Amino acid sequence: MSDGLPLRPTEDEWASAVAALQGLPPRASVLLACHLNPDGDALGSMLAVALGLRRIAGQLGIARLQAAFPGRSEIPEPFRTLPGLDLLAASAEPDPAPDAMLAFDVASIERLGELAERLSNAPVSIVLDHHASNTNFGKINLVDPAAAATSVLSDGLLSRLGVPLDAEIAECLYVALATDTGSFKFDLTTPGVHELAARLLATGIPVGEISRRLFDTRPFGAVRLFGEAMGRARLEPEGVGFVWTYATLDDLRRFDQRPAVLEALIDSVRCVAEADVSCVVKQVAAREWTVSLRSKGAVDVSAIATALGGGGHKFAAGFTGHGSVEDVIESIRDRLG
């Protein structure tokens, strides 16, 4: 028990997941997947377990092991040196009928895109996630909304499977943990998070190099793009305070940048002192936008995102919007009250 709440997942749920993986048929095919446009927690959590399963594939009878995510198979620059990337398959290539499928950092099956049917049909499906909005769409659901990152669940599964923690697995877990805690700054950074980080660092991973790659490295074109986006930021001080900006496909073209560089823009916007809620609207098509929301605590942005077809956490959430930038911002304003 913790703070009067049941421990999640329960030991029975952990045991079910371990038993399912230990009971796979001979020469089993196992597919791991995370969500569209994967962040550090999604990729790191998935690749850590993929590496762990590869270590014990002979014990489990796994003959085919793949990892994937829906949509374009582009890896964001900060994650292009992660161990285990060789296990990634393009979304059209993974086994169409795996014996087991594991989903990471995915709150609903729709976030698996074209990979969703594989999970629905898999004899064994295990979901590892930390979103409060998770719909428990797997046959086995290892979900803990109190966890700082999905990597906490990945570490729990690997330890129960008896996988030794090595530097490659540790790097994946550390990247996942560091990115989803904002480099250990967010409210869910508990003593347990630091204890996990200490175990990962004890494997000898190059934490300085990893942190520079994740948080302190950006192409000059991205710096200029960020400057332009920050120049068009708008502060609406009424109520709790709302600050927002946007970036278009034309911005990306002019500064010769890939869409993934915009994931860090929200960190510059959210520091505005006069606003509790911050937002970045990023164009992905003619009238389609991905939206990142952050809160300092006065507003539960996951409630806004869920109402608009997305999801997330109290302090960080997102959704896909349609129409003009103003249409998207107005839909948020309506729910801010």
Side-chain angles (χ1 to χ4, degrees):
M1 302 289 287
S2 176
D3 298 326
L5 298 174
L7 190 65
R8 299 182 64 184
T10 67
E11 283 304 324
D12 284 347
E13 289 168 331
W14 284 118
S16 294
V18 170
L21 292 172
Q22 291 177 339
L24 293 172
R27 300 195 57 77
S29 171
V30 176
L31 176 63
L32 294 79
C34 63
H35 59 69
L36 184 74
N37 300 320
D39 55 14
D41 190 26
L43 268 178
S45 298
M46 176 178 70
L47 292 177
V49 173
L51 288 167
L53 291 179
R54 182 156 68 181
R55 302 281 191 276
I56 60 170
Q59 300 172 37
L60 299 180
I62 297 173
R64 188 178 189 187
L65 180 65
Q66 296 175 294
F69 55 87
R72 294 178 58 185
S73 57
E74 180 181 355
I75 306 296
E77 185 66 35
F79 312 130
R80 288 183 182 173
T81 60
L82 274 174
L85 288 177
D86 59 297
L87 288 165
L88 280 176
S91 61
E93 296 175 358
D95 189 336
D99 297 295
M101 184 164 172
L102 289 76
F104 297 82
D105 206 40
V106 179
S108 66
I109 196 168
E110 291 78 16
R111 292 278 283 161
L112 286 173
E114 62 269 26
L115 301 174
E117 188 175 353
R118 289 172 170 84
L119 185 133
S120 296
N121 294 335
V124 173
S125 59
I126 303 173
V127 172
L128 296 89
D129 188 33
H130 70 134
H131 293 90
S133 58
N134 190 282
T135 58
N136 293 315
F137 57 92
K139 294 180 174 69
I140 300 170
N141 298 284
L142 304 176
V143 179
D144 183 4
T150 296
S151 56
V152 175
L153 285 305
S154 291
D155 175 67
L157 180 61
L158 289 171
S159 65
R160 286 168 173 83
L161 285 168
V163 177
L165 182 62
D166 61 24
E168 288 193 332
I169 293 173
E171 180 170 344
C172 290
L173 291 175
Y174 187 85
V175 165
L177 193 63
T179 51
D180 245 34
T181 59
S183 193
F184 305 95
K185 293 184 296 187
F186 297 160
D187 284 1
L188 287 176
T189 307
T190 62
V193 167
H194 283 293
E195 289 166 4
L196 172 56
R199 286 199 290 112
L200 303 177
L201 295 181
T203 65
I205 60 174
V207 64
E209 176 187 325
I210 292 169
S211 296
R212 282 189 293 274
R213 189 169 68 239
L214 293 178
F215 304 112
D216 299 325
T217 302
R218 190 165 295 135
F220 183 61
V223 172
R224 296 179 63 212
L225 191 162
F226 277 32
E228 185 157 314
M230 293 299 291
R232 62 171 76 117
R234 296 292 178 265
L235 173 66
E236 301 179 11
E238 300 81 9
V240 298
F242 177 42
V243 62
W244 59 272
T245 191
Y246 66 93
T248 66
L249 291 174
D250 183 61
D251 293 331
L252 291 169
R253 280 191 292 268
R254 284 187 296 111
F255 293 104
D256 192 26
Q257 296 300 302
R258 308 298 300 170
V261 304
L262 294 174
E263 295 307 308
L265 180 57
I266 189 67
D267 295 323
S268 298
V269 179
R270 67 187 296 274
C271 66
V272 172
E274 297 89 344
D276 179 78
V277 176
S278 52
C279 172
V280 174
V281 182
K282 298 157 287 189
Q283 188 176 26
V284 293
R287 289 175 63 81
E288 183 177 341
W289 311 78
T290 59
V291 183
S292 296
L293 293 169
R294 298 292 185 269
S295 169
K296 295 174 183 173
V299 173
D300 181 354
V301 290
S302 72
I304 297 174
T306 300
L308 294 170
H313 311 280
K314 177 179 179 179
F315 300 101
F319 67 95
T320 299
H322 297 88
S324 65
V325 172
E326 185 55 40
D327 291 334
V328 174
I329 294 299
E330 187 60 33
S331 70
I332 299 169
R333 284 196 199 102
D334 289 344
R335 288 160 178 83
L336 282 174

